[in-house]
């Protein structure tokens, strides 16, 4: 069974969640498990290089962003509570991040470790990243810090891979997939399609894994899962993210009507109207009885200022589906 840990390495509960998962697995007697770390961002706008955390926390927008690490607590309450819990979990000897650090490159390093050496190496790198941020109070957005982290974890080649841009596309896509799947809290544990939010006590994680082990999720083809995630992102108001996930499908299956229609919707909602038109006009010609295609084509032409042509398609859409009437 695969356990995915969706977490941001600058989230205090991510480190505590790691320790609690390890304790839960120590008493696990079920099927073999592998733990895979997945990226989540609680503060994507954090600068590079980092700024002192004490200064950043005076900004209410930063404080609000960090609340995604513990939605049920104020950030101040979270910081005080977590310091005591970290001590009880044996994370130390000192505890406390010193920097508001951008975690994107740290996530790249963790993803690269999984590609290069599997889950064991990835776990070692995740541990060293978390230790550098929370125990050593280092700026994990700096290349030299991540190079040191990689060496300590037994992944010396990680430094060069990062410098070459390795993991960039993978992390950006994984972040989008997590958002599409509904991950909204760091950490979130996912196994067999079942999710557990937050750094719960080991016995709760153990019970969660026992329940997940009894689930047999339907395995969807990768293309179908990608299409569903892209559609979910579009529904969440992220058309550019949807297009990022759709691009491999457009490259491989550019003639598929479902893929083209979803791409057209994403282009329309991201104001890329010429591209939307290129998708929609052949679809409308091939399926003249599809009222939604006619509606979207009409609205695209309308936004382009072509009222005459827009009216034709809007009238067709309304005639076939009266609910589409303006």
């Amino acid at each position: 069974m695969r356990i995915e840990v969706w977490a941001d390495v600058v989230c205090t509960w991510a480190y505590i969640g790691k320790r609690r998962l390890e304790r839960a697995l120590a008493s696990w007697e079920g099927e073999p498990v592998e733990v895979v770390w997945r990226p989540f961002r609680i503060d994507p706008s954090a600068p590079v290089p980092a700024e002192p955390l004490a200064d950043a926390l005076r900004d209410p927008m930063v404080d609000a962003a960090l609340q995604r690490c513990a939605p049920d607590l104020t950030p101040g309450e979270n910081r005080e509570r977590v310091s005591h819990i970290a001590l009880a979990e044996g994370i130390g000897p000192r505890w406390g991040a010193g920097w508001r650090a951008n975690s994107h490159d740290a996530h790249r390093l963790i993803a690269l470790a999984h590609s290069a050496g599997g889950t064991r190496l990835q776990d070692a790198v995740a541990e060293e990243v978390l230790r550098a941020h929370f125990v050593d109070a280092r700026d994990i957005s700096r290349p030299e810090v991540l190079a040191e982290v990689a060496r300590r974890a037994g992944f010396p080649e990680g430094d060069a891979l990062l410098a070459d841009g390795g993991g960039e596309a993978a992390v950006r896509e994984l972040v989008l997939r997590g958002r599409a799947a509904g991950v909204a809290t760091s950490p979130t544990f996912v196994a067999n399609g079942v999710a557990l939010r937050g750094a719960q006590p080991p016995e709760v994680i153990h019970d969660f894994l026992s329940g997940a082990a009894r689930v047999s999720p339907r395995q969807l083809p990768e293309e179908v899962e990608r299409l569903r995630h892209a559609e979910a992102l579009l529904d969440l108001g992220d058309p550019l993210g949807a297009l990022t996930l759709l691009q491999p499908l457009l490259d491989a299956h550019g003639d598929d009507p479902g893929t083209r229609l979803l791409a057209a919707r994403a282009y329309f909602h991201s104001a890329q109207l010429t591209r939307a038109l290129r998708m929609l006009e052949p679809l409308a010609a091939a399926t003249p009885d599809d009222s939604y295609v006619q509606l979207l084509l009409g609205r695209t032409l309308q936004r382009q200022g072509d009222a005459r042509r827009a009216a034709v398609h809007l009238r067709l859409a309304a005639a076939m589906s009266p609910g589409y009437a303006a």
Side-chain angles (χ1 to χ4, degrees):
M1 179 170 63
R2 167 174 286 188
I3 304 166
E4 293 183 316
V5 183
W6 295 85
D8 198 340
V9 290
V10 297
C11 171
T12 54
W13 290 103
Y15 207 173
I16 291 168
K18 185 176 189 296
R19 285 290 181 269
R20 290 178 170 178
L21 175 61
E22 289 165 353
R23 286 167 58 194
L25 290 175
S27 61
W28 176 252
E29 296 179 348
E31 64 179 290
V33 301
E34 64 170 1
V35 178
V36 179
W37 283 77
R38 300 300 195 198
F40 179 77
R41 305 292 301 280
I42 62 172
D43 188 15
S45 62
V48 180
E51 61 180 325
L53 187 60
D55 294 344
L57 291 177
R58 298 189 184 101
D59 184 342
M61 292 188 66
V62 173
D63 227 26
L66 295 179
Q67 192 165 3
R68 298 174 72 191
C69 191
D72 300 324
L73 301 171
T74 68
E77 290 170 340
N78 181 47
R79 285 189 291 276
E80 179 158 354
R81 181 185 174 202
V82 82
S83 64
H84 297 294
I85 295 175
L87 181 62
E89 293 289 344
I91 303 173
R94 67 167 296 283
W95 170 270
W99 301 92
R100 180 196 177 201
N102 190 298
S103 59
H104 179 70
D105 286 350
H107 285 301
R108 287 173 54 213
L109 183 65
I110 291 169
L112 287 166
H114 184 257
S115 298
T119 56
R120 189 180 296 274
L121 180 61
Q122 187 189 45
D123 186 76
V125 171
E127 176 70 28
E128 292 297 338
V129 168
L130 289 162
R131 175 168 290 277
H133 184 67
F134 288 109
V135 177
D136 301 335
R138 305 288 299 278
D139 175 4
I140 60 169
S141 70
R142 289 184 176 274
E144 63 270 22
V145 173
L146 289 176
E148 182 182 334
V149 161
R151 285 194 298 273
R152 288 195 324 211
F155 185 38
E157 64 271 32
D159 181 22
L161 292 171
L162 278 179
D164 287 343
E168 182 72 32
V171 166
R172 292 192 184 279
E173 179 166 307
L174 281 168
V175 168
L176 291 172
R177 283 180 176 263
R179 187 185 307 158
V183 176
T185 299
S186 172
T188 295
F189 302 101
V190 178
N192 284 341
V194 183
L196 177 68
R197 189 184 79 163
Q200 303 294 338
E203 57 273 18
V204 175
I205 297 176
H206 193 283
D207 289 346
F208 157 73
L209 295 177
S210 296
R214 294 191 292 269
V215 176
S216 298
R218 181 185 175 196
Q219 298 298 319
L220 296 174
E222 197 279 335
E223 292 87 352
V224 175
E225 187 174 79
R226 180 178 289 273
L227 196 69
R228 289 188 175 184
H229 282 159
E231 189 166 21
L233 287 174
L234 189 55
D235 291 341
L236 289 168
D238 185 2
L240 294 178
L243 286 167
T244 298
L245 292 189
L246 279 174
Q247 193 56 59
L249 294 180
L250 289 170
D251 292 341
H253 309 288
D255 294 332
D256 177 70
T259 302
R260 292 179 67 84
L261 179 56
L262 189 56
R265 289 175 56 200
Y267 285 134
F268 176 82
H269 287 291
S270 60
Q272 299 182 67
L273 301 179
T274 300
R275 291 183 174 181
L277 207 59
R278 286 199 210 106
M279 294 286 180
L280 289 167
E281 287 182 325
L283 282 174
T287 56
D289 57 343
D290 189 322
S291 60
Y292 181 74
V293 170
Q294 296 292 340
L295 175 71
L296 192 57
L297 177 53
R299 287 183 175 173
T300 301
L301 290 165
Q302 196 174 51
R303 287 180 65 183
Q304 284 193 319
D306 193 341
R308 182 185 61 80
R309 290 178 63 206
V312 174
H313 296 285
L314 293 174
R315 281 196 299 270
L316 278 172
M320 287 185 282
S321 299
Y324 289 156

